[in-house]
Amino acid sequence: MSAGAPASALSGPWRTAVRSWAPAVHRAPLLPATATVVLLCAPAGSAEVTAFGKVTPADVASAVLVVCCALRLLRHRARPLSRTAALVLGAPVAGLALATVTSGDPAASLPGLVRHLQIFVLVPAALLLTLRSARDFRVMAGSLVLLALVQGAIGVHQYLTATGASYMGHDIRAVGTFGPLDVMGMATVVGYGLTAALALGLAPAADAPGWVRPAALCSAAALVLPLTLSFSRGAWIATAVAVGVVLLLAGPRVAAGALAVLVALAVVLVGGAGVGSALLGERLASITAVSDAPDRSVTDRYTLWAAAAGMWHDHPLTGVGLKEFPVHRDGHASLGLSSGGDTAGAGVAFRREPLLSPHNMYLLALGEQGLIGATALVGSWAALLVCGLRRLWRVRRRAVAGRRVGAPDCGPADCGTADCGPVAIGLLVWQAVDFLSSDIGGPSTVLSAVLFGLAGWWALEPGPVPEPEGVGTATR
């Protein structure tokens, strides 16, 4: 019998062995993707400094995902990206390449090009091609929730034991394993997990086990506490908007009940239990303190935004070049900009970190890539959101039509996937809002690539992927 014989030709113990191993073989391509998420549990100190910056184990796993996807396409001649997917995911490439070539120092911009391609093009495309079904999508969404629960538990412990990052003179800020040098890391992870868990809990798959809904909703409720203790205003706003979108997609009746529970939980945590109520009140008030008496971080942020806008004004089409914001910052910032931000706590001694980005992805793209690159990049995200909403509307319309006639009426790529839509759209909205007060950078950035890959899988309607030889027969 040849090595390439189908599983149906096997008999006896060999056939039993193939049947037992077939599911694992079928899920093997998903391992680098799940590893990319799970390895973010590793402490931030495990990153290695290279010519392209700090490379974390999660970054290595994402590179393995891209390489494995490329080898699988070459070996099995699997389907390439559709024209729409290639256009949406590939649009940023031209702007990124142009910004690198026209940069004042192309060699210094090269690491930025690699990083942007990793986050916005290569990893999302590889994940889109790797996910074979809605079940794979749910596995990835579940891994996001699991990561959020782990990081959130560490963050709550840091707050209770005063071993977190320094905030207002106290080491109470929950930062998880990301440390004080990436104070947004845990807040980002928890925001992703809360949004995904709520979406999965409000609209689980029709064939999901009975424990999925309560487990997902309980996870979403549990993640409210570490998100609160992160003291991250941007993550609070992004999560509030994303939760609102998920509730709207779930329907008015479900939205009203879920919103009442979330409000009650917030009142109990902050008011009844007194979880950092004074500090939280000050933090919330600082969100609107723009012209009266903003704190130093708010002043620095607006100064950096003005600097990015000034770079765009001087280089409107192609920007100053990737990774060039720190070089041109002082030439466009006012004297009110401080020399850096204070960081301490969570096992790190006091130090001042330089302000190397405007903490606004849209302004960073305008300043470094100009109007051409920013339009291509933001246009790609907008296309994902529009396509995702259109597909969700179409799937639900077909489901309603199918129930009216007593039979399903949806395409092969749509049946049984309706629960994935709110997850993808909610995560994409979260990221779009959070980018108003953050940009790429830090160990948690690779998770944004996973998010765009999940959103791309849902929005761009991938076709069925051929299974490895023998797997389909053995698992029937």
Side-chain angles (χ1 to χ4, degrees):
M1 182 179 295
S2 64
S8 57
L10 299 174
S11 60
W14 291 105
R15 185 172 185 177
T16 303
V18 169
R19 283 180 174 178
S20 62
W21 282 98
V25 173
H26 180 62
R27 299 298 171 198
L30 200 61
L31 291 179
T34 54
T36 301
V37 176
V38 174
L39 286 176
L40 283 173
C41 291
S46 61
E48 295 184 3
V49 180
T50 67
F52 292 91
K54 291 185 177 180
V55 178
T56 66
D59 289 321
V60 175
S62 71
V64 173
L65 169 65
V66 173
V67 172
C68 289
C69 180
L71 293 177
R72 189 168 61 253
L73 291 177
L74 292 174
R75 179 182 178 184
H76 298 290
R77 297 183 180 275
R79 58 169 176 80
L81 292 172
S82 65
R83 291 183 179 180
T84 302
L87 177 62
V88 172
L89 295 180
V93 176
L96 293 171
L98 183 62
T100 303
V101 172
T102 59
S103 170
D105 188 353
S109 296
L110 185 59
L113 174 63
V114 174
R115 186 63 161 170
H116 280 73
L117 289 177
Q118 174 201 11
I119 302 303
F120 300 121
V121 181
L122 296 178
V123 174
L127 187 58
L128 186 152
L129 292 170
T130 298
L131 298 180
R132 298 172 178 271
S133 63
R135 181 177 297 178
D136 286 354
F137 182 99
R138 296 177 194 121
V139 169
M140 293 303 301
S143 66
L144 289 178
V145 177
L146 178 61
L147 173 65
L149 290 171
V150 172
Q151 291 287 355
I154 296 173
V156 172
H157 179 266
Q158 290 171 333
Y159 175 84
L160 295 176
T161 59
T163 56
S166 178
Y167 178 75
M168 302 292 288
H170 304 281
D171 294 342
I172 58 173
R173 188 169 189 176
V175 292
T177 62
F178 297 101
L181 301 182
D182 185 18
V183 293
M184 284 289 294
M186 192 212 73
T188 299
V189 168
V190 171
Y192 287 164
L194 195 157
T195 303
L198 182 63
L200 291 172
L202 293 179
D207 58 347
W211 57 265
V212 170
R213 180 188 292 271
L217 293 178
C218 289
S219 297
L223 290 172
V224 173
L225 180 57
L227 179 66
T228 303
L229 300 179
S230 70
F231 294 98
S232 173
R233 294 166 294 198
W236 291 348
I237 297 173
T239 304
V241 175
V243 165
V245 170
V246 169
L247 292 176
L248 287 175
L249 294 177
R253 182 177 301 178
V254 175
L259 186 60
V261 172
L262 289 176
V263 171
L265 182 62
V267 171
V268 170
L269 287 176
V270 180
V275 180
S277 55
L279 293 177
L280 288 174
E282 294 179 6
R283 194 65 167 171
L284 287 170
S286 68
I287 295 176
T288 57
V290 178
S291 58
D292 296 333
D295 59 30
R296 170 54 61 183
S297 63
V298 174
T299 301
D300 285 342
R301 180 159 300 185
Y302 290 133
T303 303
L304 291 170
W305 288 2
M311 296 176 199
W312 174 47
H313 182 269
D314 292 345
H315 303 81
L317 293 181
T318 59
V320 298
L322 299 177
K323 302 287 286 187
E324 289 294 291
F325 179 87
V327 177
H328 296 265
R329 180 198 62 192
D330 293 340
H332 294 84
S334 67
L335 296 177
L337 181 66
S338 62
S339 60
D342 297 340
T343 60
V348 177
F350 175 84
R351 58 189 293 186
R352 290 189 65 81
E353 283 295 307
L355 303 175
L356 303 179
S357 71
H359 297 286
N360 183 306
M361 189 62 206
Y362 304 103
L363 290 176
L364 178 64
L366 278 174
E368 291 191 341
Q369 303 177 47
L371 188 61
I372 296 176
T375 300
L377 188 63
V378 179
S380 174
W381 306 336
L384 285 178
L385 182 59
V386 171
C387 292
L389 289 171
R390 287 182 58 188
R391 185 182 180 192
L392 181 61
W393 175 79
R394 185 168 60 250
V395 169
R396 290 182 171 179
R397 184 187 62 177
R398 289 175 176 175
V400 171
R403 286 194 295 268
R404 287 176 179 174
V405 300
D409 184 22
C410 58
D414 288 339
C415 288
T417 64
D419 62 304
C420 302
V423 178
I425 294 171
L427 290 174
L428 196 57
V429 169
W430 195 101
Q431 189 65 81
V433 176
D434 186 67
F435 271 162
L436 291 171
S437 57
S438 70
D439 49 50
I440 59 174
S444 60
T445 298
V446 70
L447 207 58
S448 298
V450 175
L451 180 152
F452 287 117
L454 293 176
W457 180 88
W458 169 256
L460 302 175
E461 300 184 74
V465 182
E467 295 180 346
E469 295 181 3
V471 171
T473 305
T475 56
R476 289 176 184 171

